Amino acid sequence: MRKILILVLLLISLRSVAQDSLRVYNDTRNRITETGMKILGSWGLANVAVGSAGWAASAGGQNRYFYQMTTIWGGINFAIAIPGYFNARRKMGTDLTVPESLKDQQKIEKIFLVNGALDVVYIGAGFYLDSRGSNNSNPQLKGYGLSVGLQGAFLLLFDATMYRSQCGHGNKLRRFLEKNPVTFSGKAIGIQLNI
């Protein structure tokens, strides 16, 4: 009877330690995302402010179109950052199992990886528009191309940094799970044996 009581107490303490550690892990992932969304939102607002002022002050030509597209991209970046920020805030303090934590971690890493690939497309599109604008003496294409290229370059840097940060964080959990074959989900205990 005494051994059973000790085992039950051990399992209860294991559960609370595992859940607290996993909650801290998940909250850290959400803080990384929250910080990233603050940066993206600030970049978006700065682009709206500078773009609007430049657009209003431009008499025409390439600069007017550059600032016009910068304003549009700033608004889009800000609109993307707002729900991302609030989603990360909403998830703070939630209890997830190990599989749910891994799933959320892989999801956020994939989001930044896919966004990074899109950023390369934006940069290419910016070069293409700039080239077409130069070849056809079209200030609108040239201005739009320079703005799209600049936005793509910033977003590539942003998404690469976020991906690297999230992967580094995710690797902590993956390494821990590889080294520790005993798992506890809050409802079940499992032992992994490598043969």
Side-chain angles (χ1 to χ4, degrees), residues 54-106:
W55 188 2
S58 297
Q62 175 183 326
N63 284 344
R64 180 172 180 81
Y65 294 114
F66 173 84
Y67 288 121
Q68 183 181 52
M69 184 58 73
T70 299
T71 304
I72 293 167
W73 272 85
I76 292 168
N77 287 333
F78 185 73
I80 290 169
I82 293 297
Y85 173 81
F86 284 112
N87 188 40
R89 296 274 306 171
R90 181 181 55 80
K91 289 182 175 182
M92 291 291 233
T94 55
D95 289 328
L96 300 176
T97 63
V98 172
E100 290 170 333
S101 297
L102 279 171
K103 182 180 175 187
D104 276 10
Q105 184 63 48
Q106 290 168 342

Side-chain angles (χ1 to χ4, degrees), residues 124-138 141-142 145-146:
F127 280 127
Y128 174 76
L129 290 172
D130 181 48
S131 174
R132 289 280 311 236
S134 293
N135 292 340
N136 298 327
S137 297
N138 185 330
L141 290 178
K142 189 129 179 81
L146 292 172

